[in-house]
Structure formats: C-alpha cells, structure tokens
Amino acid sequence: MTSGEKKQGRNTKSLIFSSLKMATATFSSRILGLVREQVMAATFGASGVTDAFTVAYRVPNMLRDLFAEGAFSSAFVPVFTKVRQLGDREARILLWSMAVILTLITGAIVTGVIVFAPQVVQVMTDSDFTSDAESFELTVQMVRIMAPFLTLISLAALFMGALNTLKMFFVPALAPALFNVVMIGFMVLLPPVLEEKGAHPALALAFGVVAGGFAQMLLQVPLVFKKKFGPAGEWSFKSEWTGSILNRLGIGTVGIAATQINILITTILATGSEIGAVSWLTYAFRLFQFPVGILSVSIAGSNLVHFSEAWKAGHEEEARATLKTSYIVSWVVIIPAFALMMALGQETAHLVFERGAFDRRDTEMASLALKAYLWGLPFYGLYKIFAPTFFSLDRPKVPVFISMTAIALNIVFCVLMVPHYGFSILALGTSLSMLVNCTLQGVFLASLLKLKPSFFFDLRLLKVLVAGALAWLVVMQVKPHLYLLEAPLLARAGGFVTSCAIGALVYLSILFVVGEGHWVKKVLKKK
C-alpha cells in the first residue's frame, strides 16, 4: 500500500468516525425532540393552537435557514478553514468579528419582526386563518416572543461551525439536545403559571423556544475558549475574509429567499385545505427529519470540514475520495431508514404521537404525509452533502440557481395538485423537488470535479438498494404479527423495536452476503 493510499484510508476513517460522533450526539437530540413533540401532541393535539405555534415558529425558523443552518454555515466553514491555515490568531479575529456582525444583522431583523408581527402573520397565512381573531392574536404574540431566537441560534451555529473545523464534533452536535430539554421543561411547568396570570398556556411553547436557543448557544462558548479561540482583542469587520463570507451569504440569500417563498406558499395552501393540515405536515416532517438529522446532517457536517480542508490544501484526489466516501455512506445508512419508515409509517406516528388530544385520524393523516415525504429521503441526504461542497469549490451560485429551479417546479406542482389531492401532495412535492435538486447538483459536480458516471452509479449502490428492498418486504410481512394498534404501550413499543431489528438484521445480513459488510467490520473494530 502506498503512502497516498494509507493517507486516504486514514482520512476515510476520520470522516466516518467524526460522522459517527455527530450522529451519536444528534441521536440523543432527536430522541429528546420526539419526546418534545409527544408532549406537545398530548397537551395540544393537532389543533388551532398547534397550527398557531407552527406558523409563528416558521418566522424565526425561515430566517434561521439563512443565518444558521443554511447559507451561512456553508459560507463560513470553507473560509474559516482557509484562514486557519494562515494562523490561529487570524482565525480568532474572523470568528469574533463574524459574531458581532451576525448579532447586529439578526438584531435588526428581530426588531423588525417584533414591530411588524401582525403583518408578517397575515403574509404567511390565508384569510380563513386570520379571520379567527383568537388564533391570529395568539400567533402574533408567539412571533414576537420567539423573534430573538434568530440571534441566539445564529450564534450557536457560528460556534458549532468553528468547533467542527477544530475537529470537535460531539458536544456541538449535542447542543440541540439541551434545547429540547429546556423546551420540554417549559411545556410541562409553565402552562399553569401562565394560566394563573391570565395568559394563554400555549405561550409556554414560545418562551421555551427562546430559552432553549439561549442554552444551545451558551453550551458551546466554553468549548471555544477551551480551544483557545476566545476574542483576540482585535476586530476586522471589513477584511477580505469577512467580505468573502458576506458575499457568499448574499448569493445564498437568493436561494434561501426562493426556499422561503416555497414554504410560504405551501403554508398558505395547507392552512387553506383543512384544520390540522399544517400540524399533520409538521408532525410528519419531524419524523422524516429524524433520520435526516441523525445520519445525513452528521455525514454532511463531517464531509464539509474534511472536503474543505483537503481542497483548500490543494489535495484534489483526497477531496474527491472524501466526497465519494460521504456519498456511499449516505446511501448505506439512509436506505435502511427509508425501508423501515416506509414499512412502519403508520406504526411510527401511532407509537410516537397518538395519545391525549392526538387521535386516530391525526395518526392516519400524519402517516399519509410521512410516506409522501419519505420518497425524498435518500435525495435529501445527498443534498445535504452536495450543496455545501459547491461553497468549498468557490461555486456558491450553482446550488442557489439549482434550488430556485427545483422550487419553482415544486410550487407549480403543488398549486395545481393540492385542490385535487389534498394536503399530502405538499409533502410529495417536497420529495420530487429534492429529487430534481439532487440530480442537477450531481450533474454539475461531475463537471466541476471531472467525475465519471461510475462515481454515482456502481454495483455497490445496486447491492444497497436490493438489501433495502428485501428488508422492507420482510418487515411488511412480520409487522401485522408484532404491532397491534390496540395493544398496551409497552407491547407496541416492543413490537416496533422487534420489527425494526428484524429489518436491520435482514439488511445487514444481505450486505455481508454480497460482500459489502467490510465497512461494518471497520466500525466495530475501531470501537
């Protein structure tokens, strides 16, 4: 084995295990996130109250896509990686200069949202929603309370990006778990207090979001100082590097704006279809995001750091190998999740949500939306990997315009189909949009990186797809005997876990039989 092959092997292991660290931490967060959703579903159900919270939460959440999880993260990490190669002091100056810039920009936006909250809610909903004075006023209150969440979560994302670049993955990925713990505490403890003071108990949701965002940010600050990346006592608001980040952010804004228009239109279509539709889609998307958050986001975060590091250092073959590893690992881990959730869609919604105010019809509607979302799951995972890669390649405009194309197609599709097929078509439209987006990104990446078709389509991928299909088939046969909707909770939980274990065993066994189990052996050996 040559020294280059040994180095590539070490880099592959580094990428896989940093992904595993992030996935482990994110798993804890997602479990707590499901508990949070269970508490909310049991307390408020799928009602006008939860629709009000969902609409209100989308305001800071949409803006977060720009300043936290979306364009900013992709813009910041490659530039921060390059600056670190010049020296830690320069990187510290950049980090804290961006913290100040982010605070000022998001602070101004937060102020605007608070002042114009009624108008914001009117834009995001239809006349049926705003005609209910109580729901409208509750939504406006929630928007105002949750507005500062934008600043808090943006700073949390900034620190997370810096810590990931410094090869710290576990604790930053665990920070969202603290957000969920705080929110659960507020939902359980605060409603009686609010009622005593004459306020709506559902406002506990909004206060929980802000407190959780603050905790998520605060948890990461000591780690930044521990890595000796605290403020350098010097600021540079007009440097080449801050300018580069802001320029990339401006380009990303175009794509994010198109995304938010898409969300806005789908929200209007959902609120105009039937009461509860917004909540059904939200609960379904929460379940859909479980594998995305644990698996795809972890792989993508690790890929962005390792790919940027290799590409900026001029090691192009190493960067391509990193992307290939991320691509294959994404398929390997997402396909079994897709197969199991597609087979157990109703059972998942039933087990997680059906209790209290959340009834059987809510379960059926949420599971209908979930299955529509799931068709886009494999492509959503690849999108998380592909999109930031363009920023590392200094081609940030490409994913933006691809996203705009896919979103335009999705809007046309949804507007034409929702009146005939109902709210679930909004979830299917999201899946089709992601398929188009991912396919176009793959085509452009192949051109930029000189990738052959075999990079994307090979025998290994076919084996993974066959293993996933057989796992789905087996679970479909065994679940009627293991999961009974009217059984006690523990029996249902046991049947669900057993069904998942059988599906996973079938999937892994087939991979070993067809000669693709070596990656599992590497993971077990490393542990």
Side-chain angles (χ1 to χ4, degrees), residues 76-95 161-169 227-229 241 305 309 312:
F76 175 73
V77 170
V79 175
F80 188 69
T81 299
K82 188 171 183 178
V83 173
R84 272 198 68 218
Q85 295 172 351
L86 302 177
D88 285 353
R89 180 175 176 79
E90 288 78 4
R92 288 167 60 197
I93 293 172
L94 175 62
L95 172 62
L163 290 169
N164 286 170
T165 305
L166 297 170
K167 303 299 173 65
M168 289 192 71
F169 295 97
K227 281 289 186 177
K228 299 181 180 179
F229 267 75
W241 310 116
V305 171
E309 190 173 65
K312 296 302 181 183

Side-chain angles (χ1 to χ4, degrees), residues 8-184:
Q8 181 174 319
R10 287 195 299 270
N11 290 335
T12 298
K13 287 183 178 180
S14 176
L15 184 144
I16 291 175
F17 293 114
S18 58
S19 298
L20 284 174
K21 289 177 183 179
M22 295 180 73
T24 301
T26 306
F27 178 75
S28 302
S29 174
R30 293 295 173 174
I31 290 293
L32 287 168
L34 283 179
V35 173
R36 181 195 73 205
E37 296 297 326
Q38 286 177 318
V39 173
M40 187 168 75
T43 305
F44 302 107
S47 62
V49 171
T50 51
D51 279 1
F53 171 73
T54 301
V55 171
Y57 186 52
R58 282 186 178 174
V59 176
N61 218 31
M62 286 191 301
L63 295 169
R64 178 179 70 172
D65 287 342
L66 172 59
F67 292 103
E69 295 179 352
F72 180 79
S73 298
S74 299
F76 175 73
V77 170
V79 175
F80 188 69
T81 299
K82 188 171 183 178
V83 173
R84 272 198 68 218
Q85 295 172 351
L86 302 177
D88 285 353
R89 180 175 176 79
E90 288 78 4
R92 288 167 60 197
I93 293 172
L94 175 62
L95 172 62
W96 289 97
S97 296
M98 287 308 306
V100 173
I101 292 172
L102 262 185
T103 301
L104 293 174
I105 294 175
T106 59
I109 295 173
V110 165
T111 302
V113 168
I114 292 173
V115 172
F116 298 104
Q119 290 80 3
V120 171
V121 175
Q122 287 175 337
V123 169
M124 293 190 63
T125 55
D126 67 354
S127 57
D128 291 336
F129 186 89
T130 55
S131 62
D132 186 333
E134 184 178 353
S135 293
F136 178 72
E137 182 58 34
L138 178 61
T139 307
V140 170
Q141 283 184 278
M142 287 184 170
V143 167
R144 285 174 168 154
I145 292 170
M146 288 190 288
F149 174 72
L150 171 61
T151 298
L152 298 171
I153 204 65
S154 298
L155 292 174
L158 172 67
F159 295 139
M160 181 177 183
L163 290 169
N164 286 170
T165 305
L166 297 170
K167 303 299 173 65
M168 289 192 71
F169 295 97
F170 182 76
V171 175
L174 192 63
L178 186 58
F179 170 86
N180 290 322
V181 169
V182 171
M183 253 208 95
I184 291 168

Side-chain angles (χ1 to χ4, degrees), residues 257-279:
T259 301
Q260 302 319 317
I261 292 172
N262 179 50
I263 293 173
L264 174 62
I265 291 176
T266 55
T267 299
I268 292 172
L269 291 171
T271 56
S273 59
E274 57 183 304
I275 295 175
V278 175
S279 296

Side-chain angles (χ1 to χ4, degrees), residues 444-500:
F444 276 87
L445 279 176
S447 175
L448 290 171
L449 295 175
K450 298 179 175 59
L451 304 176
K452 298 179 180 178
S454 59
F455 181 96
F456 300 100
F457 307 103
D458 58 14
L459 184 59
R460 177 181 295 175
L461 177 58
L462 178 61
K463 292 176 181 178
V464 168
L465 294 175
V466 170
L470 292 175
W472 171 83
L473 184 62
V474 170
V475 174
M476 288 294 292
Q477 297 303 312
V478 302
K479 74 171 185 176
H481 307 288
L482 297 174
Y483 192 99
L484 302 177
L485 295 178
E486 304 305 328
L489 176 60
L490 288 179
R492 285 184 280 125
F496 184 86
V497 171
T498 303
S499 299
C500 290

Side-chain angles (χ1 to χ4, degrees), residues 405-424:
T405 301
I407 287 166
L409 292 174
N410 181 46
I411 290 173
V412 172
F413 176 80
C414 290
V415 169
L416 293 176
M417 296 298 177
V418 168
H420 303 287
Y421 298 99
F423 77 96
S424 64

